[in-house]
Amino acid sequence: MTEQKTWNAFTVERKDHVAQVTLIGPGKGNAMGPDFWSELPEIFGELDSDPDVRAVVIAGSGKNFSFGLDLPAMSGSFGSVLADKAQAGPRTAFHDMIKRMQSGINAVADCRKPVVAAIQGWCIGGGVDLISACDIRYASEDAQFSIREVKVAIVADMGSFARLPAIIGDGHLRELALTGKDIGAGRAEKIGLVNGVYADADAVLAAAHASAGEIAANPPLVVHGIKDVLDHSRAAAVDDSLRYVAAWNAAFLPSQDLTEAITAVFEKRTPEFKGE
């Protein structure tokens, strides 16, 4: 594969009508910091408009897919809305930031080229948002999944709640979202979160490329049409859910519990939540 452009949070390679987008951090465990959120919509915008690309594989570098939101790197973005007497100005700016971040995950979901996820190790929080926007998901046997936002006093707002009901059903989603528990690859396959489980990272990446290659061999405009038709019935519901949660978090996310969660991350301790 030949790399086309240098990014800070990704590598992007193209070969035989398939692009591979690889998360590379720079945060530990490919955590999603400012570069991730600014680069993702640009990358997928380019892939969507590239006539030579017919399918995309998205993967994580190293042992893990993604630890999710890089809370230390992004904590500065919470500062103004967590300040005393934060009113319309900082809340509007925070709402705008949520919408910008959502646009990255939306770019993956809206890409006309089908996206196949190859997941190994941990896939947490924003990582689950990202794979929920993909068309097909494969996991290695060591993969672990968690909708962990509840553990850091955040209502997940990047798309898991909007897209996962159609993938795993309401009951499984509520269990994972309300508990923040971890599940392994076997449970993920059983509930439909992933399409198949493979021995290790190399095997799951090979499986993802095999599926992407099969897709790329099909008539590209028909593939676009299939995605468009399949997405049409849920598009309005997804958009409504994303708009609602952005407004909800702009209004209600600031809390003493969120401050406690961020402080606990920096101090490497278990947070103590008080509902304040």
Side-chain angles (χ1 to χ4, degrees):
M1 294 185 180
T2 57
E3 192 171 331
Q4 304 293 314
K5 184 176 179 179
T6 299
W7 305 90
N8 293 321
F10 301 91
T11 59
V12 182
E13 303 164 298
R14 297 167 170 86
K15 183 180 179 181
D16 298 332
H17 299 301
V18 175
Q20 180 174 323
V21 178
T22 306
L23 284 66
I24 60 171
K28 182 180 179 181
N30 305 318
M32 300 169 169
D35 288 329
F36 174 93
W37 298 107
S38 64
E39 293 175 357
L40 188 63
E42 185 177 353
I43 287 170
F44 272 86
E46 289 185 4
L47 295 177
D48 182 77
S49 63
D50 186 345
D52 191 55
V53 173
R54 297 185 179 184
V56 181
V57 171
I58 190 162
S61 61
K63 295 181 179 180
N64 300 289
F65 183 76
S66 179
F67 285 175
L69 185 70
D70 190 340
L71 199 54
M74 298 294 292
S75 61
S77 303
F78 294 96
S80 60
V81 79
L82 288 174
D84 186 38
K85 297 182 180 179
Q87 296 183 351
R91 289 177 187 270
T92 298
F94 187 67
H95 182 264
D96 291 343
M97 184 190 77
I98 294 172
K99 298 291 285 183
R100 285 194 302 272
M101 292 170 67
Q102 288 178 343
S103 72
I105 305 295
N106 288 346
V108 178
D110 295 340
C111 182
R112 291 175 298 171
K113 320 303 170 67
V115 183
V116 184
I119 306 142
Q120 81 280 9
W122 283 105
C123 180
I124 301 172
V128 178
D129 292 312
L130 180 57
I131 67 168
S132 73
C134 297
D135 298 281
I136 300 168
R137 291 157 293 277
Y138 297 123
S140 61
E141 288 181 356
D142 72 342
Q144 296 280 327
F145 302 85
S146 178
I147 303 175
R148 200 174 290 181
E149 286 88 344
V150 68
K151 297 290 190 182
V152 290
I154 295 174
V155 176
D157 54 9
M158 291 295 120
S160 288
F161 293 175
R163 296 184 175 98
L164 284 179
I167 298 170
I168 66 174
D170 186 70
H172 291 302
L173 174 56
R174 287 174 185 263
E175 178 188 3
L176 298 180
L178 294 169
T179 64
K181 66 167 58 178
D182 307 330
I183 62 168
R187 172 81 190 278
E189 183 179 29
K190 184 177 180 180
I191 65 177
L193 180 59
V194 299
N195 299 65
V197 177
Y198 297 84
D200 53 30
D202 289 339
V204 74
L205 187 61
H209 274 280
S211 279
E214 288 185 62
I215 292 167
N218 289 328
L221 297 182
V222 174
V223 169
H224 297 175
I226 290 168
K227 274 207 65 172
D228 188 53
V229 171
L230 290 174
D231 289 344
H232 174 73
S233 62
R234 66 179 184 179
V238 168
D239 180 68
D240 183 64
S241 176
L242 291 170
R243 288 174 178 271
Y244 186 80
V245 75
W248 174 273
N249 273 349
F252 298 114
L253 185 68
S255 67
Q256 292 301 317
D257 282 344
L258 178 57
T259 301
E260 166 66 7
I262 294 173
T263 303
V265 168
F266 281 104
E267 296 179 354
K268 297 182 179 180
R269 61 173 174 80
T270 302
E272 296 182 11
F273 297 127
K274 300 179 179 179
E276 297 176 351

